[in-house]
Amino acid sequence: MELKRIVLGVTGGVAAYKAAELARLMVKDGLDVQVVMTEAARHFVGAATFQAITGHPVFTDLWDERVDNGMAHIDLTRGAEAILVAPASADFMAKLAHGRADDLLSTLCLARDCPLLLAPAMNRQMWEAPPTQRNAAQLKADGVTLLGPASGEQACGEVGFGRMLAPEDLLEALDARFQPKRLSGLKVLITAGPTFEPIDAVRGITNSSSGKMGYAVARAALEAGAEVTLISGPTCLAPPREAKTVAVSSAQEMLAAVEAAADAADIFIGVAAVADYYVLNRSEQKIKKDAHILTLELAPNPDILANISSRPKPPFCVGFAAESENLEEYAELKRRRKHLPLIVANDVTEAVGADAVQLILLDEAGKHVLEQADKRTQARRLIAHIAQLYNTRYQ
Ligand code: C5P
């Protein structure tokens, strides 16, 4: 398969050092990255860094003789899927908004026939200044995609909008553009992570689910064009920026949040590792240590997925079955018991917390194996399968 080629433009700003990390992530993601820097960017970070990371010479000059036909302004974007300028300075945005082309990068942006994405990065006041806002609006009207800026602490010590989005977020936004919009217009509800069942004011029962799979499924659904609500138990993960995320703790809280969102959902994917029991005799105060045997009474939690799938008009419900033995048999039984069109079986002894997993999809048509891959790839494959089943059923 031919690598997707992206031109990464770097303009002059403190955030230029983050562009090196972005380039590294892009290469790791399998993209062919051609870096073009402005003269100002070279004051912040060296071309040699990008050259080493991408394996390609870096270009700055419109008159660079390394391009055979002297047509660097056209040649470098030929066959490119997109130009991503990160960081995009206020000055560079002003230039683009007016169609100026006085250096290689601005010329490439003007002479392109591929999408242009900008990651603005500048001081808060520069971002808020009326001319910058005018330019940003003009660029959007011209079909340019603006990624960010984010709000937060800035290099100058001020706090506000103007920070470049994190390299991971930029890569995610770029990646999302390449994914087919299979779930466009659909609302997808997802549960993720473990639940936490309190024993007393500070202790509780939980499990080792990291939430990675559920969050990856949420990202893949977003990339496929869905509107996503993510109901998450406690995890250490950053929620996907574009999802509506509801943080919950116990299974009962998760059920309430799911019920509140389920009516509007077209698809419900239960990825959460919901605790099977909660503590009936929980203490409001911290239990004091003494010499007696402490007995916890455990009562079964509601089955959130079964609750939703047994509604008269359920959304298209997808379950996960983490098993440590008889994987397919147990998962298929679960699928039938919970009335699910699709269940995703994974081997709990290798799946929990891991980055790469094998998944087995079980539906009415039988079994489909998703060979071992990272959770993001698996989530995308799963979403493709769900979209196919959903569309066959409802369209
Ligand atoms: O029965 P089991 O817990 O193995 O089923 C797993 C599937 O059911 C997962 O999709 C999980 O999110 C969902 N589930 C749930 N509520 C529970 C238990 C499981 O939604 N109380």
Side-chain angles (χ1 to χ4, degrees), residues 191 270-272 274-276 301-305 318-321 323 334 337-338:
T191 62
V271 196
V274 184
D276 290 327
N301 263 328
D303 190 313
I304 301 168
L305 185 56
V318 181
F320 268 68
E323 308 290 346
K334 224 168 254 182
R337 198 177 64 238
K338 299 197 191 198

mmCIF file of all heavy atoms in Angstrom, residues 191 270-272 274-276 301-305 318-321 323 334 337-338, ligand 1:
data_model
loop_
_atom_site.group_PDB
_atom_site.id
_atom_site.type_symbol
_atom_site.label_atom_id
_atom_site.label_comp_id
_atom_site.label_asym_id
_atom_site.label_seq_id
_atom_site.Cartn_x
_atom_site.Cartn_y
_atom_site.Cartn_z
ATOM 1 N N THR A 191 -20.314 3.018 26.544
ATOM 2 C CA THR A 191 -19.820 2.991 27.923
ATOM 3 C C THR A 191 -18.379 2.486 27.896
ATOM 4 O O THR A 191 -18.019 1.681 27.037
ATOM 5 C CB THR A 191 -20.644 2.065 28.838
ATOM 6 O OG1 THR A 191 -20.550 0.728 28.344
ATOM 7 C CG2 THR A 191 -22.090 2.488 28.906
ATOM 8 N N GLY A 270 -21.715 -1.226 24.534
ATOM 9 C CA GLY A 270 -21.332 -1.377 25.937
ATOM 10 C C GLY A 270 -19.935 -1.976 26.029
ATOM 11 O O GLY A 270 -19.750 -3.172 25.892
ATOM 12 N N VAL A 271 -18.960 -1.103 26.232
ATOM 13 C CA VAL A 271 -17.580 -1.590 26.336
ATOM 14 C C VAL A 271 -17.139 -1.647 27.800
ATOM 15 O O VAL A 271 -16.167 -2.301 28.149
ATOM 16 C CB VAL A 271 -16.601 -0.700 25.522
ATOM 17 C CG1 VAL A 271 -15.269 -1.401 25.310
ATOM 18 C CG2 VAL A 271 -17.186 -0.320 24.165
ATOM 19 N N ALA A 272 -17.876 -0.959 28.661
ATOM 20 C CA ALA A 272 -17.462 -0.868 30.064
ATOM 21 C C ALA A 272 -17.392 -2.237 30.733
ATOM 22 O O ALA A 272 -18.178 -3.131 30.429
ATOM 23 C CB ALA A 272 -18.446 0.030 30.819
ATOM 24 N N VAL A 274 -18.411 -3.416 33.693
ATOM 25 C CA VAL A 274 -19.278 -3.032 34.811
ATOM 26 C C VAL A 274 -19.131 -4.069 35.927
ATOM 27 O O VAL A 274 -19.189 -5.275 35.662
ATOM 28 C CB VAL A 274 -20.753 -2.973 34.348
ATOM 29 C CG1 VAL A 274 -21.654 -2.483 35.468
ATOM 30 C CG2 VAL A 274 -20.899 -2.094 33.115
ATOM 31 N N ALA A 275 -18.942 -3.595 37.143
ATOM 32 C CA ALA A 275 -18.813 -4.540 38.263
ATOM 33 C C ALA A 275 -20.114 -5.320 38.408
ATOM 34 O O ALA A 275 -21.203 -4.750 38.295
ATOM 35 C CB ALA A 275 -18.528 -3.769 39.546
ATOM 36 N N ASP A 276 -19.998 -6.608 38.637
ATOM 37 C CA ASP A 276 -21.203 -7.440 38.735
ATOM 38 C C ASP A 276 -21.961 -7.197 40.036
ATOM 39 O O ASP A 276 -23.160 -7.412 40.103
ATOM 40 C CB ASP A 276 -20.827 -8.919 38.622
ATOM 41 C CG ASP A 276 -20.374 -9.258 37.208
ATOM 42 O OD1 ASP A 276 -20.908 -8.637 36.269
ATOM 43 O OD2 ASP A 276 -19.473 -10.110 37.044
ATOM 44 N N ASN A 301 -25.471 -5.966 40.513
ATOM 45 C CA ASN A 301 -25.708 -4.681 39.850
ATOM 46 C C ASN A 301 -26.694 -4.886 38.710
ATOM 47 O O ASN A 301 -26.807 -5.989 38.184
ATOM 48 C CB ASN A 301 -24.390 -4.157 39.271
ATOM 49 C CG ASN A 301 -23.726 -3.162 40.190
ATOM 50 O OD1 ASN A 301 -24.396 -2.424 40.912
ATOM 51 N ND2 ASN A 301 -22.403 -3.148 40.179
ATOM 52 N N PRO A 302 -27.356 -3.823 38.301
ATOM 53 C CA PRO A 302 -28.206 -3.949 37.110
ATOM 54 C C PRO A 302 -27.335 -4.212 35.887
ATOM 55 O O PRO A 302 -26.197 -3.732 35.825
ATOM 56 C CB PRO A 302 -28.877 -2.574 37.009
ATOM 57 C CG PRO A 302 -27.977 -1.654 37.758
ATOM 58 C CD PRO A 302 -27.353 -2.465 38.846
ATOM 59 N N ASP A 303 -27.841 -4.996 34.943
ATOM 60 C CA ASP A 303 -27.116 -5.191 33.681
ATOM 61 C C ASP A 303 -27.543 -4.069 32.737
ATOM 62 O O ASP A 303 -28.664 -4.054 32.227
ATOM 63 C CB ASP A 303 -27.425 -6.565 33.090
ATOM 64 C CG ASP A 303 -26.511 -6.881 31.920
ATOM 65 O OD1 ASP A 303 -26.350 -5.995 31.040
ATOM 66 O OD2 ASP A 303 -25.932 -7.973 31.885
ATOM 67 N N ILE A 304 -26.642 -3.130 32.547
ATOM 68 C CA ILE A 304 -26.970 -1.919 31.785
ATOM 69 C C ILE A 304 -27.336 -2.265 30.338
ATOM 70 O O ILE A 304 -28.344 -1.818 29.800
ATOM 71 C CB ILE A 304 -25.774 -0.937 31.825
ATOM 72 C CG1 ILE A 304 -25.471 -0.570 33.282
ATOM 73 C CG2 ILE A 304 -26.058 0.301 30.999
ATOM 74 C CD1 ILE A 304 -24.167 0.141 33.508
ATOM 75 N N LEU A 305 -26.499 -3.082 29.740
ATOM 76 C CA LEU A 305 -26.707 -3.439 28.330
ATOM 77 C C LEU A 305 -28.031 -4.177 28.152
ATOM 78 O O LEU A 305 -28.830 -3.847 27.267
ATOM 79 C CB LEU A 305 -25.524 -4.302 27.860
ATOM 80 C CG LEU A 305 -25.479 -4.680 26.398
ATOM 81 C CD1 LEU A 305 -25.525 -3.452 25.501
ATOM 82 C CD2 LEU A 305 -24.221 -5.491 26.098
ATOM 83 N N VAL A 318 -24.575 -3.330 20.903
ATOM 84 C CA VAL A 318 -23.366 -4.129 20.731
ATOM 85 C C VAL A 318 -22.743 -4.365 22.104
ATOM 86 O O VAL A 318 -22.575 -3.422 22.881
ATOM 87 C CB VAL A 318 -22.339 -3.398 19.825
ATOM 88 C CG1 VAL A 318 -21.090 -4.245 19.626
ATOM 89 C CG2 VAL A 318 -22.974 -3.040 18.483
ATOM 90 N N GLY A 319 -22.413 -5.621 22.401
ATOM 91 C CA GLY A 319 -21.795 -5.925 23.689
ATOM 92 C C GLY A 319 -20.359 -6.381 23.537
ATOM 93 O O GLY A 319 -19.910 -6.707 22.428
ATOM 94 N N PHE A 320 -19.651 -6.375 24.632
ATOM 95 C CA PHE A 320 -18.305 -6.938 24.690
ATOM 96 C C PHE A 320 -18.350 -8.114 25.662
ATOM 97 O O PHE A 320 -19.039 -8.041 26.679
ATOM 98 C CB PHE A 320 -17.299 -5.903 25.191
ATOM 99 C CG PHE A 320 -16.649 -5.121 24.079
ATOM 100 C CD1 PHE A 320 -17.389 -4.229 23.331
ATOM 101 C CD2 PHE A 320 -15.299 -5.301 23.787
ATOM 102 C CE1 PHE A 320 -16.800 -3.513 22.293
ATOM 103 C CE2 PHE A 320 -14.706 -4.588 22.750
ATOM 104 C CZ PHE A 320 -15.453 -3.698 22.006
ATOM 105 N N ALA A 321 -17.646 -9.177 25.343
ATOM 106 C CA ALA A 321 -17.598 -10.311 26.263
ATOM 107 C C ALA A 321 -16.130 -10.627 26.540
ATOM 108 O O ALA A 321 -15.403 -11.075 25.661
ATOM 109 C CB ALA A 321 -18.285 -11.520 25.646
ATOM 110 N N GLU A 323 -13.714 -12.955 28.282
ATOM 111 C CA GLU A 323 -13.753 -14.310 28.849
ATOM 112 C C GLU A 323 -12.334 -14.816 29.046
ATOM 113 O O GLU A 323 -11.405 -14.399 28.353
ATOM 114 C CB GLU A 323 -14.484 -15.269 27.887
ATOM 115 C CG GLU A 323 -15.856 -14.801 27.427
ATOM 116 C CD GLU A 323 -16.906 -14.829 28.525
ATOM 117 O OE1 GLU A 323 -16.657 -15.449 29.580
ATOM 118 O OE2 GLU A 323 -17.968 -14.213 28.346
ATOM 119 N N LYS A 334 -23.928 -15.251 25.617
ATOM 120 C CA LYS A 334 -24.206 -13.914 26.139
ATOM 121 C C LYS A 334 -24.956 -13.069 25.108
ATOM 122 O O LYS A 334 -25.883 -12.343 25.426
ATOM 123 C CB LYS A 334 -22.864 -13.247 26.462
ATOM 124 C CG LYS A 334 -22.831 -12.535 27.762
ATOM 125 C CD LYS A 334 -21.423 -12.160 28.132
ATOM 126 C CE LYS A 334 -20.875 -13.022 29.245
ATOM 127 N NZ LYS A 334 -19.519 -12.626 29.638
ATOM 128 N N ARG A 337 -28.504 -14.284 25.084
ATOM 129 C CA ARG A 337 -29.210 -13.975 26.318
ATOM 130 C C ARG A 337 -29.573 -12.484 26.405
ATOM 131 O O ARG A 337 -30.627 -12.110 26.872
ATOM 132 C CB ARG A 337 -28.343 -14.377 27.522
ATOM 133 C CG ARG A 337 -29.139 -14.498 28.814
ATOM 134 C CD ARG A 337 -28.292 -14.974 29.974
ATOM 135 N NE ARG A 337 -27.246 -14.052 30.330
ATOM 136 C CZ ARG A 337 -25.944 -14.347 30.341
ATOM 137 N NH1 ARG A 337 -25.526 -15.553 30.019
ATOM 138 N NH2 ARG A 337 -25.055 -13.447 30.671
ATOM 139 N N LYS A 338 -28.655 -11.646 25.897
ATOM 140 C CA LYS A 338 -28.899 -10.199 25.997
ATOM 141 C C LYS A 338 -29.561 -9.638 24.738
ATOM 142 O O LYS A 338 -29.689 -8.415 24.606
ATOM 143 C CB LYS A 338 -27.580 -9.468 26.272
ATOM 144 C CG LYS A 338 -26.910 -9.894 27.585
ATOM 145 C CD LYS A 338 -25.854 -8.921 28.060
ATOM 146 C CE LYS A 338 -25.035 -9.520 29.195
ATOM 147 N NZ LYS A 338 -24.302 -8.533 29.978
HETATM 148 O O1 C5P B 1 -22.347 -10.471 31.259
HETATM 149 P P1 C5P B 1 -21.094 -9.733 31.030
HETATM 150 O O2 C5P B 1 -20.766 -8.771 32.125
HETATM 151 O O3 C5P B 1 -19.902 -10.543 30.663
HETATM 152 O O4 C5P B 1 -21.430 -8.873 29.713
HETATM 153 C C1 C5P B 1 -20.527 -7.994 29.166
HETATM 154 C C2 C5P B 1 -21.245 -6.971 28.366
HETATM 155 O O5 C5P B 1 -22.386 -6.465 29.066
HETATM 156 C C3 C5P B 1 -20.379 -5.764 28.108
HETATM 157 O O6 C5P B 1 -20.788 -5.195 26.896
HETATM 158 C C4 C5P B 1 -20.698 -4.859 29.294
HETATM 159 O O7 C5P B 1 -20.441 -3.509 29.007
HETATM 160 C C5 C5P B 1 -22.169 -5.130 29.501
HETATM 161 N N1 C5P B 1 -22.583 -5.062 30.900
HETATM 162 C C6 C5P B 1 -23.408 -4.046 31.337
HETATM 163 N N2 C5P B 1 -23.833 -3.988 32.631
HETATM 164 C C7 C5P B 1 -23.452 -4.939 33.516
HETATM 165 C C8 C5P B 1 -22.616 -5.972 33.100
HETATM 166 C C9 C5P B 1 -22.198 -5.990 31.798
HETATM 167 O O8 C5P B 1 -23.749 -3.174 30.529
HETATM 168 N N3 C5P B 1 -23.877 -4.874 34.759
#
